[in-house]
Amino acid sequence: MRNLIQKNKKYLRFVLIVASIGLLSGFLYYYLLDSDTKINIINTLMEVNNFRYNFILKDLIIMSLLLVLSFFTVGIPLSIFYIFYECLSIGFLINIFFVSFGIKGFIFILLYILVNKILTFILKIIFIQKTINIGRFIIGIFIYKSDEAIKDKIIINFKNSLYIIVFVLVINIILYFVSSFVFSNLEILLK
């Protein structure tokens, strides 16, 4: 594990910077909204069915599109933006629940993030690295022309990306049912 972290130190540092900017943007975005919009968002989030929104299809579509777009240069910035977007939404949720419900809301949203987001977010970070690698290797083919080693690396990263998509899909299906039970009981605490 330590070797893996050392090998990907630059990437992890970059992801940490993008994630931090996304979280900070999410916190600040809350304060840019007018009070009516904040009230509408809170009311929407408090409806159990909306809050436990099924992310299965959304993640499948976005990750599949990012994988396809990784074969074009546009895939690299979109993949980076996806990390930013995920962190922005996490920062926004933390802030809106903390401001609206105090410490109970903060604990609730941290539990939500721990149950629903952490494992899939880690997998998405690995997935994004694979899609960025595909984009880099595609650019490498244009620079070095037809290099078999680069083509093999593209195939390996593509297969690994597909495995991650399937793994995230399975985790999301399991978490959907687990979080339905957990959050239907936790919602009572916020009211």
Side-chain angles (χ1 to χ4, degrees):
M1 182 73 162
R2 178 174 263 176
N3 253 352
L4 187 64
I5 291 173
Q6 287 296 336
K7 186 178 172 183
N8 296 306
K9 205 171 199 173
K10 287 181 182 177
Y11 174 72
L12 292 174
R13 190 175 298 137
F14 178 71
V15 165
L16 185 62
I17 291 169
V18 171
S20 299
I21 293 170
L23 280 171
L24 182 63
S25 298
F27 282 118
L28 296 176
Y29 182 65
Y30 172 81
Y31 295 106
L32 295 175
L33 295 175
D34 60 75
S35 59
D36 291 338
T37 306
K38 290 176 190 176
I39 291 169
N40 287 336
I41 291 172
I42 292 168
N43 289 336
T44 302
L45 289 175
M46 288 312 298
E47 294 176 18
V48 178
N49 292 332
N50 286 333
F51 189 70
R52 287 184 289 115
Y53 175 73
N54 187 348
F55 290 99
I56 298 168
L57 188 58
K58 180 194 81 122
D59 280 346
L60 181 64
I61 291 170
I62 290 174
M63 292 177 78
S64 298
L65 280 173
L66 287 175
L67 182 57
V68 169
L69 292 173
S70 69
F71 287 92
F72 308 97
T73 54
V74 72
I76 295 173
L78 288 176
S79 296
I80 295 166
F81 179 76
Y82 185 56
I83 293 173
F84 172 81
Y85 166 76
E86 285 284 324
C87 291
L88 181 134
S89 66
I90 290 171
F92 181 77
L93 282 174
I94 290 171
N95 201 17
I96 199 166
F97 271 82
F98 180 68
V99 170
S100 302
F101 303 105
I103 195 71
K104 283 184 182 179
F106 184 71
I107 292 170
F108 177 79
I109 201 63
L110 284 183
L111 285 173
Y112 170 77
I113 291 168
L114 285 175
V115 171
N116 279 338
K117 294 258 186 198
I118 291 295
L119 183 57
T120 57
F121 185 70
I122 292 169
L123 288 172
K124 288 174 186 177
I125 288 173
I126 296 168
F127 172 80
I128 296 300
Q129 182 182 23
K130 301 297 179 194
T131 60
I132 289 172
N133 285 344
I134 291 171
R136 284 182 32 230
F137 295 139
I138 294 290
I139 293 169
I141 286 178
F142 287 113
I143 293 172
Y144 302 111
K145 302 303 175 208
S146 183
D147 186 357
E148 288 302 316
I150 293 176
K151 288 180 182 177
D152 290 340
K153 289 179 181 181
I154 291 171
I155 292 170
I156 290 169
N157 280 286
F158 181 76
K159 286 180 181 178
N160 288 338
S161 297
L162 288 176
Y163 294 142
I164 292 171
I165 290 173
V166 169
F167 199 53
V168 167
L169 179 65
V170 169
I171 289 172
N172 278 338
I173 291 170
I174 293 168
L175 286 178
Y176 179 73
F177 294 109
V178 170
S179 67
S180 295
F181 172 74
V182 170
F183 291 113
S184 62
N185 293 323
L186 283 176
E187 186 194 37
I188 298 167
L189 294 174
L190 291 177
K191 291 187 175 181

